Amino acid sequence: MKIQAKQVMLNGQLFQYRETGEVSAPPLICLHALSRNAASWDEVAAVLGQKYRVLSLDQRGHGGSARAGLYSFELMCEDLLLFTDALGIEQFTLLGHSMGGTVSYLFAERYPSRIERLIVEDTPPPYLDTKIEIPPEPSEPLTFDWTVVPSILQQLNEPNPKWWEDLPEILAPTLIIGGGATSHVPQDKLREVCDLIPACELVTIEGAGHDVHSSKLEAFLEVVKKFLKFDEAI
């Protein structure tokens, strides 16, 4: 399945994304984790692109997208809104991992009518817990803007309670995929999220860890395809 790298201007800033599948197919947008980029979804897109128009976005500060200097989950949420509007996409399936998963929750809370289905990989919205120490900037060259790290970790340390309070506002059928006991994410938090979203299913892939779609690709795709009714006519 051919993957094309493309660019789009959003609010005066250049963003890069990767596209797979037919333009006429139902849209599915993928959001990556902190320090990753859109290419981290390539193996998933190669399969889902058989029936979907898969669009994997380099979020601000990552990959080929703008080093904006300002970073937050809310800004990334607005980037996604601008991205879908720029491409003329009114309703779509949204798939997010880790940082991208939190952006996905926020978007689905703010714009519930835009989401056809929601899939979140091994992350709850940020919650009050032990403080995360912000590490020093590494000396070696990076493929992303380091400023993203302290910005996002600060939000993890001081989460907005509305991110949890508004989970019942998510109207779309939702799938949360947990990585099991080997993930650093407390799996009971995923259950709490699932219980707050009206139409939500939690599936745990034991032994996958946090990077489920990388470590257990086939199992991940099996769960996602079942949720999307992939083998039925779209």
Side-chain angles (χ1 to χ4, degrees):
M1 182 66 64
K2 184 178 180 181
I3 298 175
Q4 296 178 294
K6 297 185 176 183
Q7 296 178 327
V8 62
M9 294 295 293
L10 305 178
N11 199 24
Q13 294 182 318
L14 186 68
F15 280 74
Q16 185 167 286
Y17 65 99
R18 298 169 75 79
E19 182 168 346
T20 314
E22 298 294 330
V23 175
S24 58
L28 187 155
I29 297 176
C30 301
L31 300 180
H32 60 78
L34 178 66
S35 81
R36 308 290 176 80
N37 56 53
S40 65
W41 292 110
D42 281 358
E43 289 183 295
V44 172
V47 174
L48 299 185
Q50 296 169 23
K51 290 195 175 180
Y52 283 86
R53 179 190 182 190
V54 181
L55 303 157
S56 304
L57 178 66
D58 279 342
Q59 297 182 90
R60 61 170 54 211
H62 294 80
S65 289
R67 271 48 177 166
L70 294 175
Y71 301 102
S72 70
F73 291 119
E74 292 88 349
L75 287 171
M76 292 175 180
C77 182
E78 292 308 302
D79 291 339
L80 178 56
L81 179 65
L82 292 171
F83 179 64
T84 54
D85 287 348
L87 271 62
I89 297 171
E90 181 60 32
Q91 197 172 46
F92 57 96
T93 293
L94 180 57
L95 166 57
H97 175 218
S98 199
M99 179 186 76
T102 294
V103 177
S104 299
Y105 285 128
L106 268 59
F107 190 94
E109 291 171 357
R110 289 186 179 187
Y111 311 105
S113 65
R114 302 291 293 268
I115 302 299
E116 183 87 29
R117 288 177 179 269
L118 175 64
I119 306 169
V120 177
E121 179 183 344
D122 202 57
T123 196
Y127 55 91
L128 287 171
D129 200 0
T130 306
K131 295 289 185 181
I132 301 171
E133 185 175 346
I134 297 174
E137 181 175 355
S139 56
E140 65 268 15
L142 301 171
T143 58
F144 64 99
D145 186 352
W146 175 257
T147 309
V148 181
V149 174
S151 301
I152 291 301
L153 293 186
Q154 188 63 36
Q155 287 197 290
L156 295 180
N157 286 336
E158 300 177 6
N160 185 338
K162 279 187 64 65
W163 298 340
W164 276 78
E165 293 167 5
D166 290 346
L167 285 169
E169 302 297 319
I170 297 176
L171 303 179
T174 300
L175 170 66
I176 299 174
I177 301 176
T182 54
S183 171
H184 70 271
V185 173
Q187 301 295 290
D188 61 324
K189 288 294 181 183
L190 302 182
R191 169 50 61 189
E192 289 180 34
V193 175
C194 189
D195 289 343
L196 288 169
I197 297 175
C200 188
E201 174 187 6
L202 170 62
V203 176
T204 301
I205 300 177
E206 268 311 333
H210 186 52
D211 296 321
V212 185
H213 76 272
S214 297
S215 63
K216 299 280 188 179
L217 177 63
E218 288 188 14
F220 178 86
L221 286 170
E222 182 180 351
V223 170
V224 169
K225 289 167 72 175
K226 181 180 178 182
F227 176 70
L228 297 176
K229 298 180 172 60
F230 191 84
D231 294 325
E232 299 176 16
I234 294 179

